[in-house]
Amino acid sequence: TIQHMLQTSFWSPDGKPISAAKFVERLFGQLPDLFKNESELRELWANPQTRKSLLSALADKGFSETELHEMRRLINAEKSDLYDVLSYIGFATSPQTREERADRSKNVIFTQYTSDQQVFLDFVLAEYVKEGVGELDQDKLPDLLELKYGGVREGVQQLGDQKQIREIFTDFQQYLYMEQATG
């Protein structure tokens, strides 16, 4: 259900303006070409590389990140992840805020990592909650290390070598997007 219709412009691939409803209809029709089910979407989204590829494939089909971000507002999920928009449109799931997702995953994340790694991942999660899924992109890792430790070298001193830091940063995201038991 689209909560409110604002002055929002969506565009078809041929550059013509279309309604939000038509945009959602087109997106819904294209999603099966990109992933078969919610589990596959979750798996693609939980890895920064495949997430980037998925966003690129969506853009190639005429669904820009800007328009997808706008959909968050239209489905009353401004504080949610783009994952939630795709899952909502594709599978009628309820959107979850980034804060809820981060809080829910912390227990699992923090059992998998050392205390120094936990401190860093807690910082990354706070940035994710505040800024969005873009903070989980691999290209942001040096910036996050700079913000948290004052530089990559200082981050290496706290967390291990750059390869290990990259693995920690990539691997923890599977827990952020893992399916939750209901009930």
Side-chain angles (χ1 to χ4, degrees):
T1 311
I2 295 181
Q3 298 296 325
H4 43 80
M5 299 302 268
L6 304 169
Q7 285 297 90
T8 303
S9 297
F10 292 95
W11 304 92
S12 68
D14 59 3
K16 294 185 175 134
I18 59 174
S19 69
K22 189 69 171 167
F23 179 84
V24 170
E25 186 180 302
R26 281 189 55 253
L27 180 57
F28 180 77
Q30 294 290 320
L31 291 181
D33 294 342
L34 301 168
F35 43 85
K36 294 185 249 354
N37 52 43
E38 188 180 357
S39 178
E40 186 178 353
L41 169 61
R42 184 177 292 104
E43 185 178 319
L44 290 169
W45 201 261
N47 180 299
Q49 286 302 110
T50 54
R51 180 173 50 243
K52 191 177 245 183
S53 297
L54 176 59
L55 288 169
S56 179
L58 282 162
D60 290 346
K61 291 182 176 288
F63 306 103
S64 72
E65 269 191 73
T66 303
E67 290 173 318
L68 293 172
H69 282 291
E70 190 61 30
M71 284 306 305
R72 288 188 319 188
R73 193 170 58 142
L74 294 177
I75 65 170
N76 204 23
E78 293 93 338
K79 294 180 186 233
S80 295
D81 200 313
L82 286 180
Y83 166 84
D84 293 288
V85 172
L86 296 172
S87 186
Y88 175 83
I89 290 171
F91 310 107
T93 60
S94 296
Q96 188 174 77
T97 68
R98 292 186 303 271
E99 184 173 14
E100 290 168 338
R101 183 178 307 287
D103 287 347
R104 177 198 47 137
S105 66
K106 279 182 183 181
N107 289 338
V108 176
I109 289 170
F110 291 165
T111 63
Q112 305 296 315
Y113 298 97
T114 67
S115 59
D116 286 340
Q117 293 167 347
Q118 290 173 22
V119 168
F120 176 63
L121 292 176
D122 193 47
F123 171 76
V124 171
L125 286 171
E127 291 298 306
Y128 162 75
V129 167
K130 186 168 63 173
E131 301 294 334
V133 72
E135 297 301 299
L136 301 179
D137 191 279
Q138 287 180 329
D139 295 340
K140 290 294 269 189
L141 184 54
D143 296 337
L144 291 165
L145 290 168
E146 177 82 29
L147 279 171
K148 177 66 179 158
Y149 299 107
V152 173
R153 184 175 315 152
E154 293 81 356
V156 167
Q157 290 173 350
Q158 292 290 318
L159 302 169
D161 65 38
Q162 288 184 19
K163 182 178 186 263
Q164 186 178 9
I165 294 170
R166 189 167 298 283
E167 286 174 4
I168 292 164
F169 182 73
T170 300
D171 291 349
F172 99 92
Q173 294 183 39
Q174 70 181 314
Y175 303 112
L176 188 60
Y177 292 101
M178 75 181 183
E179 188 170 10
Q180 295 301 298
T182 55

